[in-house]
Amino acid sequence: MLQQAAITESKAKAKMVTGADLLLEALEKEKVEVIFGYPGGAVLPIYDKLYDSKILHVLPRHEQGGIHAAEGYARISGKPGVVIATSGPGATNIVTGLTDAMMDSLPLIVFTGQVPTNVIGSDAFQEADVLGITTPITKYNYQVRNIEDIPRIVKEAFYIASSGRPGPVLIDIPKDIAASVSKPPEEQEIKLPGYQPTVQPNYLQIKKLSEAVSRANKPVILAGAGVLLSKASNELKEYAEQQQLPVIHTLLGLGGFPADHKLFVGMAGMHGCYASNMGLSECDLLINIGARFDDRLTGNLQFFAPHATVAHIDIDPAEIGKNVQTAIPVVADAKEALKQLVKQNGKPPVHGEWLEQIHKWQEEYPYYYGESAALKPQKVMEMLYEKTTGDAIVVTDVGQHQMWAAQYYQFNQANRWVTSGGLGTMGFGLPASIGAQLADPDRCVVAVLGDGGFQMSTQELTVIKELNLPVKIAIFNNLSLGMVRQWQEIFYDKRYSHSKIPIQPSFVKLAEAYGIKGYEINTAEEAEVILEEVLSNREPVLLDIRIDPHENVYPMIAPGKGLHEMVGVKP
Amino acid sequence: MKKIISMTVMNRPGVLNRITNLFSKRNYNIESISVGLTEQEGVSRITCVIHVESDREAEQITKQLNKQIDILKVTDISDQAIVARELALIKVLSTPQTRNELYALIEPFRAAVIDISKDSLVIQITGESEKIEAFIELIKPYGIKELARTGTTAFPRGTQKPVNTQKTYSIV
Ligand SMILES: Cc1ncc(C[n+]2csc(CCOP(=O)(O)OP(=O)(O)O)c2C)c(N)n1
Ligand SMILES: [Mg+2]
């Protein structure tokens, strides 16, 4: 008897685990491949366990870079990106990334270290109220209070982050809990009685929508990132083809429907194409699938889709009716709703004239740009598209270059487009390209950056070198914060207040300092030769592309104007 | 217009913060918020009185609240038959000359005097907010020294009238 007891006791002892063990075990269970993390005092117990872990750990050179990389990873892989940051400054450095992911519905699991439980609330060294700070910018957040809860909390976090409308979930772990020791806890069930996303559409609403489509004369689909998040591209194509519905994209939705399809109209919104914006202005039935009617898409709501019956398919009921009154609400996962719509096999609308009208708009008013001695960014973007056969992953920063990429790179497949839409975060592009490349290692990744935004994340060049990621960094250098300069030119009487940045380091030499090859490109001929060369190898490269600094993004809808009030439609 | 939102929530740390955060983030106006335990362990009831411009705004608020993971159920009970009560404590100046007058006001409102001192009374009153407001107006001329209101707490009545009937008001 005694001997027996001694054996079980020693067995139990041998199996004692720490909070950090439980954490890593839980991550392995979720099949996490990569962690973007940065160590510090409060996460040392976790980092000690990471030393022996098989999971790839990527060390960004700034926590903000880490979380943007995780966003790029999540966008391309469809799986939650995992981030670790230490307490205090580590945690506050990820605030922008959390907000960005929240706005663009990207699944993230973010661990922050916290000061030990017994000093929480005492303004201890590197203490910050992380739960308080991140409550409005996360889908949910936790602070671990008991070591036994770790496996359940991690499981719940992955479930919350990746189901329903995806978003970031933060788990704050006090240092003592990560270090404390316990018997392996009993398995706990997920306990989320207040969280039950509606995935299946209501049959009657589907029927109503299907009938509205049959009756419509000027129907359009507006497809947002919800289509990509629910992996519904095939279903969208099938439905659009079945009913012959023209498809308009939001900025974030690009790639959800093939740009080379004859039913594809283009991107809508502030810098969208004429046909899309007119399509929205004149349609009589607007079927929004997974877009949230952002103000940069709708323009002045007073003039938005004035003749349309609005149907809206969204997994987040709060998005339906938030900005635009909706006659046919469908709360559902986009994929499920589209499957049901296809199954209805409704009578296609009679709308030949409408399709013709849209094609006419497309032909008469395509995106255009003028010729000049200086290199035109749009031209370079077209070359990038051709030379990557449209199959690259394009990651952008925020500004004019982002809009040119959206306009001139044709996205014919899903998961080729990574951009910061809702928050418009400068500094996003370079780190996000790291995550995108890790998510799809064999594909060509082009990071399209501005000279301003690049300088907000330059430090991440090290990571590209360290992991030898073949990212093609294309800086569209206009020696200015171009988008700000454009607004000052148009709305502020050309008073270029702090938007010109002619004093720059040599980006080529900078790249070389990081051990990355760099080229300066000044003409279309140089672009031709250099792009050809660098896109055909598997090496990282930085291109300092000197574009026309006076170039603006057109067409454009001024703030407060309606979609039909585009300027710069024709030369 | 005024709306009463009733919700049951998981009694977890930070849940109230999540709700008030949401109100300020979305720029909604709260008039009052009251929180307390319910018959179910681990579940609290929160009653909010809010001001909105339109029914659509009220619907938005309800949906945003519903999205919160710790919130189990949200109902806009403004248009239902409900019992809604608030409690107020009012410290009012009183002199021997005014005391009788005050008692005469207290009586029809079924309020109660719960503390008396040389120069003041503390009155406790419960009822719907409108009733409390009416009472405060009457008491004001005597000089209110301190006032504490709990905010409304409410839930639907056991029996609901058919939909298109008038909203019921209870007298007490
Ligand atoms: C973090 C952050 N700060 C400021 C802005 C405002 N902003 C939007 S675009 C832009 C200019 C970006 O310049 P650059 O990166 O060179 O791109 P360009 O517009 O010239 O292509 C600025 C400052 C922003 N979006 N994000
Ligand atoms: Mg620039």
Side-chain angles (χ1 to χ4, degrees):
Chain A
M1 271 306 260
L2 256 179
Q3 218 175 357
Q4 188 75 33
I7 290 171
T8 35
E9 192 179 288
S10 74
K11 246 191 191 163
K13 238 187 214 147
K15 271 176 70 187
M16 292 298 264
V17 291
T18 67
D21 284 324
L22 289 172
L23 183 79
L24 286 189
E25 220 171 82
L27 292 182
E28 275 163 24
K29 247 192 194 156
E30 299 293 338
K31 306 203 168 55
V32 170
E33 299 163 329
V34 52
I35 295 172
F36 302 91
Y38 208 100
V43 286
L44 279 173
I46 299 171
Y47 269 80
D48 190 53
K49 298 296 171 187
L50 274 171
Y51 199 55
D52 304 318
S53 170
K54 285 192 288 288
I55 302 176
L56 172 67
H57 179 277
V58 175
L59 182 82
R61 295 314 194 252
H62 188 297
E63 286 92 347
Q64 184 174 344
I67 192 164
H68 289 327
E71 290 183 81
Y73 176 85
R75 176 68 84 200
I76 294 301
S77 70
K79 292 184 275 192
V82 179
V83 178
I84 301 178
T86 193
S87 69
T92 54
N93 272 349
I94 57 167
V95 164
T96 302
L98 285 172
T99 316
D100 193 272
M102 186 72 177
M103 281 284 230
D104 287 353
S105 309
L106 291 172
L108 296 182
I109 307 291
V110 177
F111 297 96
T112 46
Q114 184 52 279
V115 298
T117 319
N118 62 335
V119 296
I120 289 182
S122 71
D123 300 320
F125 178 63
Q126 294 192 332
E127 179 180 2
D129 174 14
V130 173
L131 284 195
I133 292 169
T134 63
T135 291
I137 51 169
T138 51
K139 188 170 174 186
Y140 198 58
N141 59 12
Y142 292 88
Q143 187 171 68
V144 182
R145 306 266 165 111
N146 298 301
I147 174 171
E148 312 85 76
D149 295 339
I150 292 175
R152 172 184 54 85
I153 288 177
V154 174
K155 210 176 354 165
E156 284 182 2
F158 272 85
Y159 175 62
I160 293 171
S162 52
S163 60
R165 176 178 180 176
V169 178
L170 180 138
I171 304 174
D172 196 39
I173 309 178
K175 185 176 185 178
D176 57 316
I177 289 182
S180 67
V181 182
S182 129
K183 286 196 299 253
E186 277 174 38
E187 184 132 342
Q188 296 177 27
E189 289 296 304
I190 284 187
K191 271 194 296 208
L192 299 165
Y195 178 68
Q196 280 136 359
T198 308
V199 173
Q200 287 300 333
N202 176 302
Y203 177 76
L204 292 176
Q205 292 302 101
I206 290 288
K207 217 168 142 198
K208 203 164 148 193
L209 174 49
S210 186
E211 285 162 8
V213 170
S214 303
R215 275 197 313 271
N217 297 118
K218 300 176 173 183
V220 292
I221 288 177
L222 172 68
V227 169
L228 298 167
L229 293 166
S230 93
K231 304 184 172 64
S233 304
N234 289 338
E235 287 76 9
L236 174 61
K237 187 155 165 258
E238 198 179 344
Y239 182 60
E241 283 174 353
Q242 184 196 63
Q243 299 293 319
Q244 288 297 299
L245 298 173
V247 179
I248 294 170
H249 262 315
T250 65
L251 171 70
L252 282 175
L254 293 172
F257 191 80
D260 55 5
H261 197 287
K262 74 175 200 317
L263 287 167
F264 181 72
V265 187
M267 178 177 76
M270 183 173 271
H271 295 295
C273 68
Y274 184 83
S276 293
N277 286 337
M278 290 311 288
L280 287 173
S281 300
E282 308 244 310
C283 66
D284 68 355
L285 175 66
L286 167 53
I287 309 163
N288 174 344
I289 310 177
R292 59 187 178 83
F293 286 132
D294 174 78
D295 54 287
R296 289 265 156 137
L297 176 100
T298 61
N300 188 333
L301 282 172
Q302 210 184 322
F303 309 112
F304 181 69
H307 317 292
T309 301
V310 176
H312 189 168
I313 301 171
D314 208 301
I315 197 152
D316 179 357
E319 285 307 336
I320 301 178
K322 185 179 79 178
N323 297 336
V324 173
Q325 273 208 321
T326 302
I328 310 173
V330 183
V331 180
D333 178 56
K335 195 186 185 90
E336 295 305 320
L338 283 162
K339 270 191 200 160
Q340 294 299 322
L341 283 167
V342 169
K343 223 158 108 195
Q344 287 283 318
N345 200 12
K347 184 175 73 67
V350 181
H351 63 320
E353 269 174 46
W354 174 237
L355 292 180
E356 245 166 62
Q357 169 72 75
I358 289 175
H359 283 144
K360 218 153 106 204
W361 282 330
Q362 284 179 305
E363 261 160 43
E364 267 174 50
Y365 306 104
Y367 295 125
Y368 79 92
Y369 57 91
E371 296 294 329
S372 72
L375 181 56
K376 290 290 178 190
Q378 300 94 329
K379 171 95 191 147
V380 182
M381 214 61 83
E382 285 173 338
M383 287 163 101
L384 274 173
Y385 172 69
E386 278 155 27
K387 293 195 184 301
T388 54
T389 60
D391 197 35
I393 292 173
V394 177
V395 185
T396 77
D397 213 80
V398 171
Q400 292 182 311
H401 62 280
Q402 174 189 33
M403 292 303 131
W404 289 317
Q407 292 178 335
Y408 288 89
Y409 200 96
Q410 306 293 303
F411 295 93
N412 299 321
Q413 283 118 313
N415 305 329
R416 299 287 190 278
W417 173 237
V418 184
T419 199
S420 165
L423 198 63
T425 307
M426 278 175 74
F428 172 87
L430 186 62
S433 73
I434 294 171
Q437 185 76 78
L438 286 166
D440 197 349
D442 297 331
R443 198 167 309 277
C444 175
V445 173
V446 183
V448 171
L449 311 177
D451 46 316
F454 168 67
Q455 293 186 75
M456 281 201 184
S457 289
T458 310
Q459 75 283 351
E460 307 305 342
L461 285 175
T462 311
V463 182
I464 289 176
K465 177 65 188 174
E466 195 171 75
L467 302 177
N468 198 27
L469 299 174
V471 175
K472 314 298 178 189
I473 303 161
I475 300 174
F476 282 66
N477 193 346
N478 48 13
L479 302 171
S480 60
L481 307 176
M483 191 57 99
V484 173
R485 191 203 53 72
Q486 173 169 348
W487 281 52
Q488 288 171 338
E489 178 182 329
I490 302 172
F491 305 116
Y492 292 89
D493 220 11
K494 303 192 178 171
R495 288 160 53 82
Y496 298 120
S497 179
H498 307 283
S499 59
K500 297 209 169 174
I501 47 172
I503 307 295
Q504 288 177 339
S506 153
F507 292 146
V508 169
K509 281 192 191 153
L510 189 65
E512 281 162 4
Y514 279 98
I516 294 170
K517 239 192 190 148
Y519 297 89
E520 188 175 303
I521 295 177
N522 288 288
T523 62
E525 294 69 41
E526 281 173 13
E528 187 65 48
V529 177
I530 293 170
L531 286 181
E532 190 67 42
E533 183 190 325
V534 302
L535 289 172
S536 59
N537 67 37
R538 298 276 302 157
E539 299 285 315
V541 70
L542 182 148
L543 307 173
D544 180 2
I545 308 170
R546 301 304 184 107
I547 57 163
D548 183 350
H550 305 294
E551 191 63 23
N552 286 339
V553 183
Y554 287 116
M556 176 176 192
I557 295 156
K561 301 280 185 190
L563 287 190
H564 60 295
E565 297 173 281
M566 283 161 280
V567 296
V569 173
K570 270 242 142 161
Chain B
M1 65 185 94
K2 205 155 136 175
K3 293 273 175 190
I4 304 178
I5 309 275
S6 169
M7 54 195 137
T8 45
V9 306
M10 299 288 283
N11 200 348
R12 289 188 179 156
V15 60
L16 193 58
N17 184 34
R18 287 179 201 282
I19 292 165
T20 49
N21 234 313
L22 192 151
F23 277 99
S24 68
K25 168 177 170 179
R26 302 262 172 206
N27 213 1
Y28 300 144
N29 266 322
I30 323 183
E31 178 182 298
S32 75
I33 184 162
S34 87
V35 193
L37 301 175
T38 63
E39 76 287 355
Q40 254 177 298
E41 210 193 305
V43 174
S44 295
R45 176 178 303 278
I46 297 183
T47 313
C48 293
V49 178
I50 55 173
H51 282 282
V52 292
E53 298 288 322
S54 60
D55 280 330
R56 203 170 133 201
E57 192 185 343
E59 187 187 322
Q60 240 314 286
I61 297 181
T62 321
K63 283 173 164 180
Q64 291 295 349
L65 286 167
N66 237 324
K67 236 163 88 167
Q68 289 291 322
I69 283 160
D70 285 339
I71 296 184
L72 299 171
K73 191 162 185 234
V74 185
T75 343
D76 177 351
I77 56 174
S78 325
D79 298 328
Q80 297 186 20
I82 56 170
V83 273
R85 290 292 180 276
E86 183 178 351
L87 182 142
L89 298 177
I90 309 163
K91 189 184 281 172
V92 61
L93 293 176
S94 80
T95 58
Q97 290 87 339
T98 59
R99 196 165 290 163
N100 277 346
E101 279 178 41
L102 281 167
Y103 272 99
L105 291 172
I106 287 164
E107 157 99 39
F109 278 87
R110 299 197 197 173
V113 173
I114 56 172
D115 186 45
I116 304 183
S117 71
K118 208 164 72 231
D119 54 0
S120 70
L121 295 178
V122 177
I123 304 167
Q124 167 193 305
I125 175 167
T126 54
E128 292 199 349
S129 299
E130 289 82 359
K131 171 183 155 184
I132 290 177
E133 249 133 57
F135 183 70
I136 291 171
E137 281 308 307
L138 282 174
I139 292 292
K140 240 185 207 158
Y142 298 92
I144 292 176
K145 281 176 77 178
E146 264 181 276
L147 172 65
R149 297 175 65 167
T150 59
T152 297
T153 189
F155 52 54
R157 287 178 179 276
T159 333
Q160 291 290 314
K161 296 238 176 90
V163 193
N164 51 10
T165 53
Q166 290 261 303
K167 185 187 164 197
T168 51
Y169 286 100
S170 66
I171 302 133
V172 273

